[in-house]
């Protein structure tokens, strides 16, 4: 990957906000290369500095220290007029969609083209094409109030694509959406990245979003980059304290497992791709403790055994027995 051209380079980037009585450091010594055509994630808890970082990337906020290099151009060295032109290559989508309520979906998409001085007929043609790209061809005349959250975000994505950007900055773009809509928006961003070759930068506080869509991730903590790597590396072996906190959120963490009864589950050729234990835990809503496992994959079939410890909760145990019997999974009690 390092052989590819970085489309964005951040070198020693820092941002300090000064007011009358004090100064607040929002970013400190950020060094980052984002490569052309990748989907890059920036994650951190609230107040870590993610939104300031994205606003420094497109120079909506001027950094106090360091450089932002976009497509080989040092943004600190260009005029305001040139900067406006460069910003057309870095479109942004937001958590709250930021659509103009008095304009139809089509007119919202036309808006950045009007600002760029594109003739009306040409702008409308482009807007119709983009409505098709985001799957809203039939909503051209609908106003934002008539659209669902997911549809509004699709219009916002179409508007962001209007100026043919090289980079799409997504600042918490799915935070206001339900899980199903979030997945459809992330799939759309993935499609746009693959078909149009646009570099996508995803800013979020949700690890599930990073896992779903990104190839690499930078973890921001207390105004600095705590860790950077491929999503697989960070998920498998998180090094920093904040990475461990984000990966192992502990939402369903069990400190001590109490239970005496044990079962041996036999795998006798079920497909290796069927997550038997995970499905059982989800369906029965009962945790189990895996004491021993010896399974192997032979031509896509699972063979072997697993010994699990059941919780003391009687109704939970009954659900597990019923699940195993219903799904014809061989098992026996272990003394």
């Amino acid at each position: 990957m390092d052989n590819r051209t970085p489309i964005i380079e951040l070198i020693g980037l820092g941002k300090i906000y000064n007011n009358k009585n004090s100064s607040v450091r929002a970013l400190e010594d950020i060094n980052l290369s984002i490569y052309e055509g990748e989907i890059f994630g920036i994650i951190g808890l609230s107040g870590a500095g993610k939104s300031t970082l994205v606003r420094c990337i497109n120079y909506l906020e001027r950094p106090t220290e360091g450089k932002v290099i976009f497509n080989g151009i040092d943004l600190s060295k260009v005029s305001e007029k040139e900067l406006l032109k460069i910003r057309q290559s870095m479109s942004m989508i937001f958590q709250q969609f930021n659509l103009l309520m008095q304009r139809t979906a089509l007119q919202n998409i036309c808006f950045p083209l009007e600002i760029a001085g594109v003739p009306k007929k040409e702008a409308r043609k482009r807007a119709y094409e983009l409505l098709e790209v985001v799957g809203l061809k039939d909503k051209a005349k609908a106003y934002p109030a008539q659209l669902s959250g997911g549809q509004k975000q699709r219009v916002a994505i179409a508007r962001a694509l209007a100026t043919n950007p090289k980079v799409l900055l997504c600042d918490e773009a799915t935070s206001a959406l339900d899980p199903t809509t979030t997945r459809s928006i992330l799939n759309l961003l993935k499609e746009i990245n693959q078909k149009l070759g646009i570099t996508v930068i995803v800013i979020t506080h949700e690890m599930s979003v990073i896992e779903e869509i990104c190839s690499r991730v930078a973890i921001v903590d207390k105004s600095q980059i705590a860790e950077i790597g491929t999503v697989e590396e960070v998920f498998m072996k998180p090094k920093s304290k904040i990475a461990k906190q984000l990966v192992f959120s502990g939402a369903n963490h069990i400190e001590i497992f109490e239970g005496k009864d044990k079962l041996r589950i036999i795998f006798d050729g079920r497909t290796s791709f069927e997550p038997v234990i995970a499905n059982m835990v989800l369906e029965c809503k009962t945790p189990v403790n895996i004491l021993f496992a010896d399974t192997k994959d032979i031509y896509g079939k699972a063979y072997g055994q697993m010994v699990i410890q059941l919780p003391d909760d009687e109704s939970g145990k009954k659900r597990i027995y019923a699940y195993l019997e219903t799904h014809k999974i061989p098992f026996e009690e272990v003394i």
Side-chain angles (χ1 to χ4, degrees), residues 3-73:
N3 298 330
R4 288 195 289 172
T5 316
I7 191 161
I8 291 168
E9 284 183 277
L10 309 180
I11 303 164
L13 192 79
K15 177 68 183 176
I16 299 169
Y17 291 103
N18 294 307
N19 57 32
K20 276 185 183 176
N21 306 316
S22 64
S23 62
V24 177
R25 180 169 278 285
L27 294 172
E28 184 178 359
D29 195 28
I30 303 284
N31 295 287
L32 202 57
S33 291
I34 296 170
Y35 297 99
E36 201 167 346
E38 76 173 328
I39 303 181
F40 189 90
I42 296 170
I43 188 170
L45 302 174
S46 293
K50 309 183 298 292
S51 289
T52 303
L53 179 54
V54 75
R55 290 170 71 82
C56 284
I57 287 174
N58 63 8
Y59 251 61
L60 285 173
E61 292 279 2
R62 278 190 173 265
T64 314
E65 306 140 355
K67 293 178 181 179
V68 176
I69 295 169
F70 173 70
N71 231 12
I73 300 163

Side-chain angles (χ1 to χ4, degrees), residues 39 93 97 109 129-137 149-161 168 170 173-174 177 179-202 209 212-214:
I39 303 181
I93 56 172
F97 324 124
I109 299 164
E129 286 168 3
L130 288 167
L131 278 168
E132 194 155 352
V133 168
V134 300
L136 289 180
K137 204 167 113 181
Q151 288 170 334
K152 285 178 196 169
Q153 195 57 289
R154 284 172 180 270
V155 173
I157 291 168
R159 180 184 59 187
L161 296 174
L168 200 53
C170 309
T174 58
L177 305 172
T180 306
T181 311
T182 291
R183 204 165 295 117
S184 75
I185 293 295
L186 293 178
N187 284 336
L188 175 61
L189 290 172
K190 222 184 282 185
E191 260 177 57
I192 287 164
N193 166 259
Q194 287 164 358
K195 288 180 183 172
L196 306 178
I198 293 172
T199 306
V200 179
I201 300 173
V202 176
V209 169
E212 181 94 17
I213 191 174
C214 300

Side-chain angles (χ1 to χ4, degrees), residues 87-102:
R87 272 202 206 110
Q88 289 179 8
S89 294
M90 283 194 272
S91 284
M92 204 161 176
I93 56 172
F94 307 88
Q95 182 178 349
Q96 297 303 337
F97 324 124
N98 291 14
L99 297 178
L100 299 163
M101 300 307 284
Q102 306 307 315

Side-chain angles (χ1 to χ4, degrees), residues 68-85:
V68 176
I69 295 169
F70 173 70
N71 231 12
I73 300 163
D74 183 346
L75 297 189
S76 67
K77 295 195 160 62
V78 301
S79 68
E80 203 59 42
K81 192 180 176 184
E82 287 171 300
L83 193 56
L84 289 170
K85 185 78 180 156

Side-chain angles (χ1 to χ4, degrees), residues 172-276:
E172 296 283 6
T174 58
S175 293
L177 305 172
D178 64 75
T180 306
T181 311
T182 291
R183 204 165 295 117
S184 75
I185 293 295
L186 293 178
N187 284 336
L188 175 61
L189 290 172
K190 222 184 282 185
E191 260 177 57
I192 287 164
N193 166 259
Q194 287 164 358
K195 288 180 183 172
L196 306 178
I198 293 172
T199 306
V200 179
I201 300 173
V202 176
I203 294 89
T204 183
H205 65 278
E206 296 173 281
M207 209 64 178
S208 57
V209 169
I210 297 291
E211 191 181 12
E212 181 94 17
I213 191 174
C214 300
S215 52
R216 289 194 306 137
V217 61
I219 298 176
V220 181
D221 184 38
K222 295 173 187 164
S223 314
Q224 296 180 304
I225 289 181
E227 194 165 333
I228 183 167
T230 67
V231 172
E232 288 84 358
E233 284 167 357
V234 173
F235 265 84
M236 296 296 286
K237 293 178 183 173
K239 297 183 186 78
S240 60
K241 189 179 172 187
I242 185 66
K244 287 171 185 170
Q245 191 180 334
L246 287 161
V247 172
F248 311 120
S249 65
N252 298 304
H253 188 61
I254 297 164
E255 287 295 336
I256 299 167
F257 191 95
E258 292 180 354
K260 298 179 206 68
D261 294 344
K262 297 186 254 317
L263 288 184
R264 185 167 79 103
I265 294 174
I266 297 109
F267 295 89
D268 58 354
R270 303 178 76 84
T271 169
S272 295
F273 304 106
E274 185 187 342
V276 173

